[in-house]
Structures are given as C-alpha cells and as structure tokens.
Amino acid sequence: MTAFDSVVLSTPRLRLRPLRGDDASALLAICSDPRVMRYWSSPPWHAIDQAQALIARDREAMAAGQYLRLGLERDGRLIGYCTLFQLDAQNRRAELGYVLAAAAWSQGYMGEALRALLDYGFDALDLHRVEADTDPRNRASVRCLERLGFVREGLLRERWIVAGEVSDTALYGLLRRDWRASPL
C-alpha cells in the first residue's frame, strides 16, 4: 500500500494537501452549510468534533494508504476537499468524492482540483477506472463529472435516506483510456 499522508498536488489556483488539525474550523463551516450538504450522504454537521474526528481518521488511514483525501487550499484558506476512496488494487479501481464551500461554487475550482487528483490516480496509482455517484438533482456535480469525461452508467433508485429525505444516485464511470484521450 502507498502512504498518502505526504501527497501534495498543485494546480494554477489551488494547493491540494492533506487536512491538518488547524483546518477543523474551516471544515466545519463548509460541512455545516445546508446548501453544501444538500445532496450529501449525511446531514449537515453541527459540532467541531465532527471535523476533528474526520481529520484524525484521515491521519491514520492516509498513512496506511487506505484512501486519499486532499484539502483544497486557495490563498491559504481551505475551500473544500476531494477524495479517492474504496481503493481496489486488484481491479485498479477507486471511487471519487468531493465537497466545496458555497462561496467557491461556479468558479471552476472543483474541476481544476479533480483534474489534478485524477491525473495522480491514473498515473501514480495506476488506476484503470474511477467511479462517482451523485444525486442526479445536483446539476453542478453532474456537469463537473461530465466535463471531466465521466459517463453516466446507471441509476440506483431511492438509494439514500438522509434526514428523512429519500434520494436516487446516478452512477458515473471514467476509464483511464478515456481520460488519456480527453482534450482537457
């Protein structure tokens, strides 16, 4: 297993790096926003210990190579994160997750960050396939995935029940050969 606790990626506007203890307040601000968590698989956070627990889990799991979560830093501020998880070495497959502060929406940050993360996944991790699931009502997420070359491969009806709300999941997949052929 590859350790991920020292992975740092750069894009023209962002620095992608492991979350740190001093990110807890910014992480809580992002994940407590009902707009940000609207289509997430859990309700909005309500306490700083939720952010601290995620950061603590990351330290251990990333050192062990279980998953890769990188904070998106813009001008020294945490504005979100992106994750490669459910790493399957035999099938060279991973799942993709991401969250972005509402103040950073519609500025291309997530697409920029995910391009760097996917390059890392397909190159350094030798992935063959990356999968993503999103609530089909989340048009911004759907557009981001499709711009990156992901193809919608299915729909799981009523997959999630979050805070009493039932929602579907649209499944997307991206193959390495399609990523390499992409003009991005």
Side-chain angles (χ1 to χ4, degrees):
M1 257 315 149
T2 301
F4 299 125
D5 52 344
S6 62
V7 173
V8 175
L9 307 175
S10 295
T11 73
R13 301 182 297 165
L14 301 170
R15 184 170 176 256
L16 283 66
R17 45 103 178 141
L19 294 173
R20 305 181 304 242
D22 63 354
D23 289 323
S25 293
L27 189 57
L28 176 61
I30 293 166
C31 294
S32 64
D33 185 335
R35 296 168 299 165
V36 171
M37 301 300 279
R38 171 73 180 96
Y39 301 112
W40 202 249
S41 56
S42 65
W45 293 359
H46 53 79
I48 193 73
D49 63 333
Q50 291 172 286
Q52 292 166 336
L54 182 135
I55 292 167
R57 280 192 311 272
D58 278 6
R59 280 193 194 116
E60 187 174 316
M62 288 182 42
Q66 295 172 351
Y67 60 80
L68 172 62
R69 184 187 334 266
L70 297 175
L72 280 59
E73 184 180 288
R74 168 82 174 147
D75 299 327
R77 293 181 309 112
L78 184 74
I79 62 169
Y81 65 77
C82 54
T83 311
L84 286 174
F85 64 104
Q86 297 295 347
L87 297 168
D88 180 337
Q90 176 182 334
N91 295 296
R92 297 180 17 235
R93 180 176 64 231
E95 291 185 37
L96 178 70
Y98 46 91
V99 67
L100 187 66
W105 289 354
S106 301
Q107 298 176 54
Y109 292 127
M110 191 52 71
E112 185 175 321
L114 293 180
R115 278 190 289 280
L117 185 64
L118 290 166
D119 275 340
Y120 181 84
F122 287 123
D123 291 340
L125 302 182
D126 194 32
L127 294 175
H128 174 72
R129 175 182 171 83
V130 176
E131 300 170 348
D133 75 71
T134 191
D135 188 315
R137 299 172 298 173
N138 188 345
R139 294 299 310 149
S141 182
V142 167
R143 281 192 306 273
C144 184
L145 290 171
E146 290 175 348
R147 275 194 299 267
L148 291 167
F150 281 82
V151 174
R152 183 170 166 165
E153 297 176 336
L155 180 74
L156 299 179
R157 298 178 308 143
E158 300 182 9
R159 183 173 190 221
W160 296 104
I161 301 175
V162 178
E165 182 178 358
V166 178
S167 63
D168 298 340
T169 288
L171 299 176
Y172 285 81
L174 177 63
L175 301 178
R176 181 205 314 240
R177 70 175 170 265
D178 297 334
W179 180 249
R180 294 290 173 243
S182 171
L184 294 176

